[in-house]
Amino acid sequence: MASDLLSTPPPLAPPKTWDATVIWLRLIRSRRVGPSTFFRLVSEHGSAASALEALPGIAAKAGVPKYTPFSAAAAVAELQAGKRLGAVPLCFGAPGYPVALSTIPDPPPLLWALGNVSLTERPAIGLVGARNASSLGTRMAAKLAAELSAQGFAVVSGLARGVDAAAHLAALEGGTIAVQAGGVDQVYPRENAGLHDQIAAQGLRLSEQPIGLQPMARHFPRRNRIISGLSRAVVVVEAAAKSGSLITAREALEQGREVLAVPGHPFDARSAGCNMLIRDGAILVRGMADITEALTRPTPDPAPQKPDRAAPVHQAGPAHAQILGLLGPSPLAEDQLIRDLAVDPGLVTPQLLALEMEGKITRTSGGLVALAT
């Protein structure tokens, strides 16, 4: 269940000039400023420019001396690199920014887009699965992707080998969106170099990471929340019991998306994750008809959101030691932490921001916090 502190980020004016985009990029690229912190800082200070100006003082009060925000020169260099590549920055709230993605708790403040940006306007379905997919799995992924594409859906996946690659290829003509874990210019894995170029020419590649950034293991879960956030539903074709595809499925559930899975043989480890999802309530997929039926089901009205409580960043609150004592390496929901502390939420959120600036805690998608490792 979503925390009352994790409502959709409030509307804010996206940058409309080059200089404003530089400031926006400087803030999101500054050390220890993730999406949640970005929106909280802008909400607190009224604009990205004011938040950026206040950032060194916030860091100093959090015990981080001599904090320097991301430089203007580095931001300009990234924007120029994107322009040379043919990529465009899509800022939260600006035309072209995916509306579905803007509804999740921690949307990327900025996305790099390379290719046909109009694909963000289409209804989308995520299709993910095993990298070491079976022949049957890749055929099923291709069949579903082709049929989804023929019905006007943009097929979203992660440009990995196996199921992802099969889905992208089958939906290439109709429209496919690849969400990358590294920079939008980075080819990963190398074997998908040709597909990488085809999607830029015929589909769309998206990334929230800086141009030139090589993907690392920690980037993939963040990438997965974008796949599910873009999608009306996520279909898992093959997945082991512990796989990135299950992370995407979990993100989808937390974002209020439908989760569907293709069943597999109990003896095939590549189907263990899908079978677990079905056991736990995911919709079983035998073909396109099951996806169509799931998408046409009436959905209950969402619970009304409580207003976002953008507490002052420097408000006094519980001692950092109390918060750190309740956290561990396993992520904990922020609202559960607040209940455990038994204090007003407005006193906790600025302390979490300070601890994040100090590098003592990390935020993960879905409004979870954990001790930094």
Side-chain angles (χ1 to χ4, degrees), residues 127 137-149 166-167 170 286-289:
L127 209 163
T138 54
R139 294 204 309 273
M140 184 64 166
K143 184 175 186 296
L144 291 175
E147 292 175 348
L148 285 165
S149 185
R286 297 160 297 179
M288 185 64 203

Side-chain angles (χ1 to χ4, degrees), residues 150 168 172 178 282 291 295 338 362:
H168 285 309
L172 200 55
I291 300 176
L295 293 175
I338 291 168
T362 58

Side-chain angles (χ1 to χ4, degrees), residues 268-294:
D268 188 343
R270 288 169 295 199
S271 294
C274 288
N275 293 340
M276 287 167 52
L277 288 172
I278 294 167
R279 179 199 64 191
D280 295 338
I283 298 168
L284 186 148
V285 173
R286 297 160 297 179
M288 185 64 203
D290 291 320
I291 300 176
T292 302
E293 182 183 348

Side-chain angles (χ1 to χ4, degrees), residues 103-124:
T103 66
I104 70 173
D106 52 351
L110 182 145
L111 282 169
W112 278 109
L114 183 60
N116 182 4
V117 177
S118 69
L119 286 175
T120 62
E121 299 172 5
R122 286 203 206 165

Side-chain angles (χ1 to χ4, degrees), residues 53-305:
E53 185 178 352
L55 201 50
I58 296 170
K61 290 186 178 182
V64 184
K66 299 180 181 179
Y67 179 94
T68 303
F70 194 71
S71 72
V76 168
E78 181 176 343
L79 290 171
Q80 289 175 336
K83 187 175 182 180
R84 288 193 298 270
L85 188 67
V88 294
L90 303 179
C91 295
F92 181 92
Y97 191 95
V99 174
L101 191 61
S102 68
T103 66
I104 70 173
D106 52 351
L110 182 145
L111 282 169
W112 278 109
L114 183 60
N116 182 4
V117 177
S118 69
L119 286 175
T120 62
E121 299 172 5
R122 286 203 206 165
I125 302 294
L127 209 163
V128 298
R131 288 176 170 82
N132 64 332
S134 67
S135 173
L136 188 60
T138 54
R139 294 204 309 273
M140 184 64 166
K143 184 175 186 296
L144 291 175
E147 292 175 348
L148 285 165
S149 185
Q151 292 197 17
F153 290 99
V155 174
V156 185
S157 199
L159 199 50
R161 61 174 64 93
V163 164
D164 289 20
H168 285 309
L169 275 169
L172 200 55
E173 275 192 40
T176 188
I177 300 174
V179 185
Q180 298 177 242
V184 75
D185 59 327
Q186 298 299 300
V187 179
Y188 183 87
R190 294 302 308 180
E191 68 197 61
N192 280 350
L195 179 58
H196 185 266
D197 293 341
Q198 285 179 291
I199 294 174
Q202 297 177 256
L204 178 65
R205 299 204 315 258
L206 295 175
S207 176
E208 68 177 328
Q209 300 297 348
I211 302 288
L213 182 75
Q214 290 281 350
M216 301 175 64
R218 60 189 173 86
H219 298 143
F220 287 89
R222 303 294 298 165
R223 183 274 312 266
N224 293 348
R225 91 189 192 287
I226 298 176
I227 293 175
S228 55
L230 289 166
S231 306
R232 289 181 57 185
V234 171
V235 182
V236 185
V237 176
E238 280 186 336
K242 294 181 180 180
S243 73
S245 298
L246 297 191
I247 296 175
T248 309
R250 186 182 70 232
E251 296 283 2
L253 288 171
E254 291 175 352
Q255 294 165 353
R257 277 48 169 170
E258 291 279 9
V259 174
L260 305 90
V262 176
H265 197 285
F267 289 170
D268 188 343
R270 288 169 295 199
S271 294
C274 288
N275 293 340
M276 287 167 52
L277 288 172
I278 294 167
R279 179 199 64 191
D280 295 338
I283 298 168
L284 186 148
V285 173
R286 297 160 297 179
M288 185 64 203
D290 291 320
I291 300 176
T292 302
E293 182 183 348
L295 293 175
T296 54
R297 289 180 184 175
T299 55
D301 293 333
Q305 292 281 358

Side-chain angles (χ1 to χ4, degrees), residues 13-90:
K16 295 181 179 178
T17 65
W18 173 271
D19 289 343
T21 304
V22 169
I23 291 170
W24 190 287
L25 187 61
R26 288 185 66 195
L27 182 59
I28 189 55
R29 295 288 185 250
S30 289
R31 188 164 47 106
R32 296 173 183 167
V33 176
S36 297
T37 303
F38 176 94
F39 288 110
R40 182 162 292 281
L41 286 169
V42 173
S43 176
E44 171 70 19
H45 294 280
S47 70
S50 297
L52 187 66
E53 185 178 352
L55 201 50
I58 296 170
K61 290 186 178 182
V64 184
K66 299 180 181 179
Y67 179 94
T68 303
F70 194 71
S71 72
V76 168
E78 181 176 343
L79 290 171
Q80 289 175 336
K83 187 175 182 180
R84 288 193 298 270
L85 188 67
V88 294
L90 303 179

